[in-house]
Structures are given as structure tokens and as C-alpha cells.
Amino acid sequence: MRHIYVPDTQVRPGVPTDHLAWVAAYIVEKQPDRIIVGGDWWDFPSLSSYEEAGGETLEGARVAEDIWVGNEAFKKFAAPIKAEIQRQKKNRIKSPWDPSCDFTDGNHDDRIDRVPKGAVKWKGLIGSHLLDTQNFTRHPFLQILWRDDI
């Protein structure tokens, strides 16, 4: 079994994400059996508990923008992978590439689930259900993911 592990992208507004398409191109070229995105895809600077509310560091930071930027980056990452899988199925390749795709929530991704835990008025309105991981199997923060004895 061949694995590709993509950790800690920490996507945030204003930071280039072109490299994610290059990572996806590499994955398509190598066609591993498993693709594992190791969390902290979204950085969520707007939800940082280390910064003081109303402080200069958080000036202009918006949760909606953090979500959108991370979702768009994940689409950019997943699109070439999906396209190659579909191409092979369409062309009836004898053994089409069909990797398992996992996403493990990191502590930064988990920031969005801490909001309703701290203020229940946000329950159902804000949370990780807003994070679009393009049909990768999601695994909650701190849940151990075992694949092939790894």
C-alpha cells in the first residue's frame, strides 16, 4: 500500500494556495492507494483563542472568509484527483485508480467546533459541517486514524 500524507496546510485569507494544485498533480502522477490530509487545512485566524478579542491582530478577520478560502483551496486540491479517477472510470481502465481519501481534523480545524461549545446559541449554525472536504472521509479531532498498521 502506498500512502500520501498532506499535513498542516493552514490555509488562510491572503496566503497563496497555488502549491496545492501542484500537490494534487503529484498525487495524480503517483496514484497512491491512500490519500490522507492530516488536519489543520483551515487555519482560522479569526477564531484564534490566543488573540485578544477586539485586538489589532484580529482586525478585519472574518470566520466566513476563513471558511470560504479553505473550501476553495480544498476544491482546487481535490479537483485534479477527482478528474483523474473519473477519466479512468470513463475510459474503462482495467484497474482504475480508486484511492481511499481521509481527512483528520486538526486543532485549527477544530476551532470552528469550539464556538458552539462555548456559546450554544451558535449550535447548528457554525461548525465543521461548513468545511467542504470534497467527500474525503472525515475523522474528528483527536481521533486516531489507523490505515495499514500505520
Side-chain angles (χ1 to χ4, degrees):
M1 291 295 247
R2 294 178 314 135
H3 300 81
I4 291 220
Y5 181 67
V6 181
D8 287 305
T9 58
Q10 299 203 3
V11 173
R12 64 171 52 203
V15 175
T17 58
D18 295 339
H19 64 288
L20 298 173
W22 305 333
V23 172
Y26 178 80
I27 290 171
V28 168
E29 178 186 324
K30 298 300 179 185
Q31 298 190 3
D33 302 297
R34 300 196 187 283
I35 302 167
I36 301 164
V37 177
D40 288 347
W41 186 275
W42 287 262
D43 184 42
F44 282 120
S46 63
L47 297 176
S48 175
S49 61
Y50 297 104
E51 303 298 336
E52 189 174 323
E56 195 173 310
T57 307
L58 292 179
E59 182 65 33
R62 299 290 181 265
V63 175
E65 187 177 13
D66 287 349
I67 293 167
W68 184 83
V69 167
N71 285 350
E72 289 301 306
F74 210 97
K75 286 178 196 171
K76 183 187 294 188
F77 168 74
I81 296 166
K82 284 182 178 181
E84 179 59 17
I85 291 168
Q86 290 305 314
R87 185 192 71 76
Q88 288 188 19
K89 285 180 182 176
K90 181 181 173 187
N91 292 334
R92 297 186 179 159
I93 305 283
K94 186 175 180 180
S95 296
W97 179 46
D98 190 22
S100 70
C101 300
D102 292 291
F103 181 94
T104 62
D105 285 328
N107 65 313
H108 284 249
D109 307 307
D110 191 56
R111 287 176 175 178
I112 198 166
D113 285 329
R114 288 185 217 144
V115 171
K117 288 176 185 171
V120 292
K121 66 183 178 182
W122 299 112
K123 191 172 185 173
L125 186 60
I126 190 168
S128 57
H129 64 280
L130 299 171
L131 309 182
D132 186 0
T133 55
Q134 300 288 303
N135 295 320
F136 275 53
T137 302
R138 296 282 297 270
H139 303 277
F141 179 55
L142 296 179
Q143 180 186 56
I144 297 171
L145 172 65
W146 287 98
R147 292 290 182 254
D148 307 311
D149 296 325
I150 300 171

